[in-house]
Amino acid sequence: RKEVEQDPGPFNVPEGATVAFNCTYSNSASQSFFWYRQDCRKEPKLLMSVYSSGNEDGRFTAQLNRASQYISLLIRDSKLSDSATYLCVVNRAGGYNKLIFGAGTRLAVHP
Amino acid sequence: NAGVTQTPKFQVLKTGQSMTLQCAQDMNHNSMYWYRQDPGMGLRLIYYSASEGTTDKGEVPNGYNVSRLNKREFSLRLESAAPSQTSVYFCASSEATIYEQYFGPGTRLTVT
């Protein structure tokens, strides 16, 4: 089982739609969670951290469910510019903490 | 404040040639990383340096060596390039290994 698993997609949605991605992680001791965004042929960029209580940044909402070991990202009112690959990132707890990157979920927003 | 910079941006090598990829960060971060990303795949960690003076292997270290030259700079060396090393290489840095990482723009390497 992979440490971080994501549905690769693609998710094809019209502008204005609401779309949600889930990501599951295997290490129950993980403490840090993030969502990154990666545009085609560009470097990954931090979208938002994910806090235990959930957090919101404009049209983006991130949630953490420790019991079921998954995090989610909700995008409301999708824009064409939201088209990208979204990477779920979790720290590998124990020993040297390192971040583990999921393979990503591709989102395509169309007019 | 440039963040993380990488040189070169593009490189073509012949099999057996060597080269060094350079990375520098100006955020006073302690930890630095080298990843490779192949088409349709996620980021794979090659080597990392949790702090100045230390380096450790990641998932795919074979065929690579690294040097943490100082707190700012972390280089990746391919001693004898192979076609399987054709990839996009990203350098990243973070305050510590548990915190969010910031990436450089990448080096696109082709080995023929």
Side-chain angles (χ1 to χ4, degrees):
Chain A
R1 183 186 172 189
K2 290 182 183 176
E3 290 185 78
V4 178
E5 293 203 67
Q6 296 183 251
D7 181 340
F11 284 63
N12 293 300
V13 303
E15 272 186 292
T18 295
V19 61
F21 311 133
N22 279 347
C23 160
T24 58
Y25 61 94
S26 61
N27 190 329
S28 60
S30 295
Q31 299 164 334
S32 302
F33 308 90
F34 308 96
W35 282 103
Y36 277 70
R37 170 196 170 123
Q38 186 173 23
D39 293 300
C40 189
R41 298 177 67 79
K42 298 282 194 181
E43 73 271 25
K45 292 186 177 174
L46 179 67
L47 180 65
M48 58 198 303
S49 302
V50 186
Y51 304 122
S52 295
S53 54
N55 48 302
E56 192 172 303
D57 183 1
R59 297 182 294 108
F60 298 84
T61 300
Q63 297 278 355
L64 167 63
N65 185 317
R66 284 192 186 274
S68 300
Q69 293 180 212
Y70 76 84
I71 66 173
S72 63
L73 177 68
L74 181 79
I75 306 175
R76 288 181 298 278
D77 190 22
S78 299
K79 312 288 184 196
L80 294 176
S81 57
D82 294 333
S83 296
T85 297
Y86 291 83
L87 309 179
C88 168
V89 185
V90 177
N91 81 296
R92 176 187 289 157
Y96 248 138
N97 274 297
K98 293 193 295 293
L99 297 187
I100 307 300
F101 286 76
T105 297
R106 198 153 68 84
L107 171 66
V109 182
H110 56 83
Chain B
N1 190 339
V4 180
T5 57
Q6 291 183 235
T7 55
K9 285 189 167 51
F10 300 92
Q11 184 70 50
V12 178
L13 291 178
K14 290 187 173 16
T15 298
Q17 287 185 319
S18 62
M19 79 162 294
T20 300
L21 281 63
Q22 306 285 356
C23 174
Q25 51 92 8
D26 62 3
M27 294 176 282
N28 200 35
H29 283 166
N30 292 304
S31 304
M32 297 185 74
Y33 314 81
W34 277 105
Y35 293 91
R36 61 177 288 173
Q37 188 174 39
D38 300 302
M41 295 186 68
L43 292 162
R44 291 188 289 171
L45 183 65
I46 305 171
Y47 272 93
Y48 69 102
S49 171
S51 59
E52 188 179 355
T54 70
T55 60
D56 282 287
K57 294 178 181 179
E59 301 171 66
V60 289
N62 291 345
Y64 306 95
N65 284 302
V66 290
S67 296
R68 183 75 183 265
L69 304 167
N70 48 55
K71 192 171 186 181
R72 288 189 63 245
E73 298 171 288
F74 188 38
S75 62
L76 178 72
R77 183 159 178 84
L78 287 70
E79 289 292 351
S80 178
S84 60
Q85 293 179 306
T86 293
S87 190
V88 180
Y89 291 85
F90 289 106
C91 176
S93 72
S94 65
E95 198 175 317
T97 58
I98 196 172
Y99 295 127
E100 63 271 20
Q101 295 176 16
Y102 296 88
F103 286 80
T107 294
R108 281 159 181 75
L109 175 68
T110 301
V111 183
T112 61

